[in-house]
Amino acid sequence: MAEVRLQKAMADAGVASRRASEKLILEGHVKVNGRVVKELGTKVSNDDAIEVDGSLLERESKVYFLFYKPRGVISAAKDDKGRKVVTDYFKDIARRVYPIGRLDYDTSGIILVTNDGQLANLLMHPRYKVNKTYVAKVEGLVQNDDLKHLRKGVKMKDGHFSARAKAQIISSDRAKNSSIVSLTIHEGRNHQVKNMFEAIGHPVKKLKRESYDFLTLDGLVSGQFRELSRDEVKMLYEHARQNAKRK
Ligand code: URA
């Protein structure tokens, strides 16, 4: 059975980064098969029981899915109001998976679902500037000047200025007084897209996330998911690490 360094096994299980796991080991928080281990070189296999401050690590194999979230589904593992949640679609998967990041209840589109805490931590880190493309149906006829504002950055109601973005009008409907606009951003603040459109006076009526980094919804219909390939997972890790190095 393959052996890995203790700090890697801890990071893979989503305990903390490798560096932070090393600190936990050195400080005596970690036991392997019931014994405190303080040596960083210690190798462990899947059969070894690792405890951090008395809690046993779950070391199941990692799974990664790309899910096309329908509107009307909460992007969480459970909802106290009993509404449908993303993990309801993954009941047949013999792993405890959860979505990475969030999409609003009334937003549809791409969301990643995994049991890999390390990848989830990396992708949700504010420094991970992955491009996400949204298609929004908004009220009113969006003008080129509006796009310029979106591209440069607008002041949102939380006081924050959005970073540079890509924006393009896909279509306008004079009769219905609405427009369809594609917006690519790399930030992930709460209700970011809705707040950006609100800031330019065109509230969002419908929102869909069409891509996440290099991943798209191709081949899926709403409510379906597919497993990510090894190469796709590798690429997400690579992009996340490159961003973590940047500043
Ligand atoms: N921005 C929003 O306003 N809502 C989402 O669900 C995602 C991004």
Side-chain angles (χ1 to χ4, degrees):
M1 177 155 306
E3 291 198 325
V4 294
R5 284 170 171 251
L6 179 54
Q7 54 268 44
K8 178 171 179 349
M10 290 167 65
D12 287 348
V15 171
S17 67
R18 240 185 252 197
R19 185 84 45 90
S21 298
E22 287 175 359
K23 195 158 174 265
L24 288 170
I25 296 169
L26 291 171
E27 288 173 356
H29 293 273
V30 184
K31 281 185 189 169
V32 177
N33 302 325
R35 284 218 187 125
V36 174
V37 167
K38 288 188 175 179
E39 291 79 39
L40 293 181
T42 306
K43 294 272 180 82
V44 290
S45 77
N46 271 339
D47 292 335
D48 291 313
I50 304 172
E51 283 169 70
V52 179
D53 288 331
S55 309
L56 199 59
L57 293 201
E58 283 190 43
R59 305 182 51 222
E60 56 192 19
S61 62
K62 302 296 177 236
V63 287
Y64 306 87
F65 301 98
L66 188 162
F67 178 50
Y68 185 161
K69 181 182 107 56
R71 241 177 294 285
V73 174
I74 298 275
S75 47
K78 56 180 176 227
D79 179 50
D80 47 16
K81 295 192 190 124
R83 289 171 297 185
K84 206 161 192 180
V85 295
V86 163
T87 47
D88 287 343
Y89 291 81
F90 292 84
K91 285 196 170 135
D92 293 338
I93 304 292
R95 299 278 185 279
R96 207 148 27 90
V97 292
Y98 45 85
I100 300 184
R102 296 168 36 167
L103 283 181
D104 293 337
Y105 183 64
D106 57 357
T107 300
S108 64
I110 191 165
I111 190 158
L112 301 181
V113 175
T114 187
N115 60 346
D116 182 348
Q118 190 191 13
L119 184 66
N121 284 338
L122 283 171
L123 294 184
M124 284 193 288
H125 195 281
R127 235 192 257 159
Y128 183 63
K129 293 195 171 138
V130 57
N131 276 332
K132 287 153 283 200
T133 298
Y134 296 85
V135 171
K137 183 174 184 186
V138 302
E139 276 177 32
L141 300 175
V142 171
Q143 307 297 319
N144 280 329
D145 267 357
D146 296 319
L147 295 184
K148 281 187 195 153
H149 286 125
L150 288 175
R151 289 177 185 141
K152 267 182 87 173
V154 291
K155 187 172 183 186
M156 296 181 288
K157 61 183 177 195
D158 62 2
H160 176 84
F161 278 90
S162 56
R164 282 185 178 279
K166 287 183 196 148
Q168 216 173 348
I169 298 170
I170 296 177
S171 63
S172 307
D173 189 330
R174 222 163 258 286
K176 291 199 180 125
N177 191 35
S178 65
S179 313
I180 299 190
V181 181
S182 151
L183 182 68
T184 302
I185 58 172
H186 62 247
E187 295 173 296
R189 301 174 79 82
N190 246 354
H191 311 305
Q192 168 121 9
V193 175
K194 289 176 184 166
N195 290 342
M196 285 174 73
F197 279 104
E198 206 175 297
I200 58 159
H202 292 282
V204 168
K205 301 210 283 194
K206 225 174 172 185
L207 187 61
K208 178 178 176 190
R209 182 155 75 185
E210 295 221 316
S211 71
Y212 185 95
D213 203 345
F214 56 91
L215 297 166
T216 70
L217 291 166
D218 282 358
L220 295 178
V221 298
S222 178
Q224 280 186 336
F225 59 80
R226 70 166 176 90
E227 213 164 332
L228 293 184
S229 70
R230 273 165 165 256
D231 282 349
E232 286 171 331
V233 174
K234 210 170 135 202
M235 218 184 308
L236 284 172
Y237 262 107
E238 274 168 17
H239 290 187
R241 293 206 167 105
Q242 280 161 13
N243 274 288
K245 272 191 221 144
R246 242 174 247 160
K247 266 267 170 166

